[in-house]
Amino acid sequence: GNSVTQMEGPVTLSEEAFLTINCTYTATGYPSLFWYVQYPGEGLQLLLKATKADDKGSNKGFEATYRKETTSFHLEKGSVQVSDSAVYFCALSQGGSEKLVFGKGTKLTVNP
Amino acid sequence: EAQVTQNPRYLITVTGKKLTVTCSQNMNHEYMSWYRQDPGLGLRQIYYSMNVEVTDKGDVPEGYKVSRKEKRNFPLILESPSPNQTSLYFCASRGRREANYGYTFGSGTRLTVV
């Protein structure tokens, strides 16, 4: 079945550091890929998405590129802020299925 | 404001006492889902609905029921809650034409069964 594997957390960075959170997936065909963010005490918010190979999703300074050859969708940000502290989830959906398959989440803490 | 509204936000109950968590969306979305979030396990789908009166099981449906009598509402029913259903629950919805745009999630319901 489909699955998503993302790097274990927690991740602790200083403000303005570079962020990478790795995400790889297993799926047949061409799933759509997503990054969701969960701020403390809140629900999940869609951060960015990509629907086909080589697409780059971007939002709020975050980027991720859909790499079919490596089945990856790594999240990056060039300069993190304290306000980016949250849990980040990589997810996929397959055409014809109403299920989002999530990774286990990576908790990011950014210190001033 | 377009949103998915869950109630209650927090609930503590006793084993065996039936409860309902409500979910309502104001975006005229066809698709709705329930997920539970547990430490180390991420989010897992409980049930989903593709439209009024159309529901199906997700990965972890045991111990839960749902109904979809109206397009906007998708309540989650625990007929006889047990401690292993202590979790954080999320309702989510999307429109038929938004398959590639992801779901909109509610703020969550933290349930504790003692």
Side-chain angles (χ1 to χ4, degrees):
Chain A
N2 298 342
S3 66
V4 173
T5 303
Q6 58 182 107
M7 63 186 286
E8 296 285 329
V11 174
T12 302
L13 296 173
S14 297
E15 209 165 21
E16 299 184 1
F18 184 85
L19 169 70
T20 300
I21 300 178
N22 290 337
C23 171
T24 57
Y25 67 89
T26 301
T28 56
Y30 296 88
S32 295
L33 301 174
F34 307 91
W35 277 101
Y36 281 85
V37 59
Q38 184 179 29
Y39 298 104
E42 298 185 14
L44 279 76
Q45 301 175 25
L46 180 64
L47 181 60
L48 53 84
K49 63 173 176 64
T51 59
K52 60 183 187 295
D54 300 324
D55 265 3
K56 177 185 283 189
S58 62
N59 186 25
K60 300 181 181 179
F62 291 89
E63 293 183 341
T65 301
Y66 189 144
R67 301 285 189 203
K68 180 68 175 174
E69 63 276 13
T70 55
T71 63
S72 65
F73 192 56
H74 304 322
L75 182 68
E76 296 182 337
K77 186 174 185 182
S79 176
V80 293
Q81 305 300 312
V82 172
S83 57
D84 293 326
S85 298
V87 180
Y88 293 82
F89 291 93
C90 185
L92 69 81
S93 69
Q94 193 91 49
S97 168
E98 278 314 304
K99 181 170 66 176
L100 277 169
V101 178
F102 285 90
K104 294 182 180 181
T106 302
K107 183 176 181 179
L108 169 67
T109 301
V110 180
N111 294 319
Chain B
E1 180 187 353
Q3 60 185 0
V4 176
T5 302
Q6 295 178 229
N7 281 297
R9 289 293 305 274
Y10 302 93
L11 179 60
I12 301 175
T13 190
V14 297
T15 298
K17 184 177 181 181
K18 181 180 178 180
L19 66 92
T20 299
V21 183
T22 64
C23 174
S24 180
Q25 49 91 6
N26 62 359
M27 297 166 281
N28 201 37
H29 283 169
E30 288 80 12
Y31 297 92
M32 299 185 75
S33 279
W34 276 102
Y35 288 83
R36 61 178 288 173
Q37 182 182 9
D38 301 291
L41 297 176
L43 283 89
R44 295 175 292 168
Q45 191 183 53
I46 303 170
Y47 269 95
Y48 65 93
S49 169
M50 290 181 281
N51 215 323
V52 175
E53 303 291 2
V54 181
T55 63
D56 207 348
K57 297 176 181 178
D59 291 325
V60 289
E62 295 78 18
Y64 304 94
K65 287 175 57 177
V66 292
S67 69
R68 188 91 183 271
K69 294 187 172 63
E70 304 166 285
K71 197 172 185 179
R72 64 183 293 125
N73 295 324
F74 190 45
L76 180 69
I77 303 156
L78 285 72
E79 295 269 3
S80 183
S82 62
N84 65 10
Q85 292 178 297
T86 293
S87 187
L88 180 57
Y89 291 86
F90 289 102
C91 182
S93 73
R94 74 162 179 88
R96 183 185 299 119
R97 297 179 182 176
E98 297 165 6
N100 294 327
Y101 289 84
Y103 275 79
T104 299
F105 280 79
S107 298
T109 295
R110 185 167 293 281
L111 172 65
T112 302
V113 184
V114 298

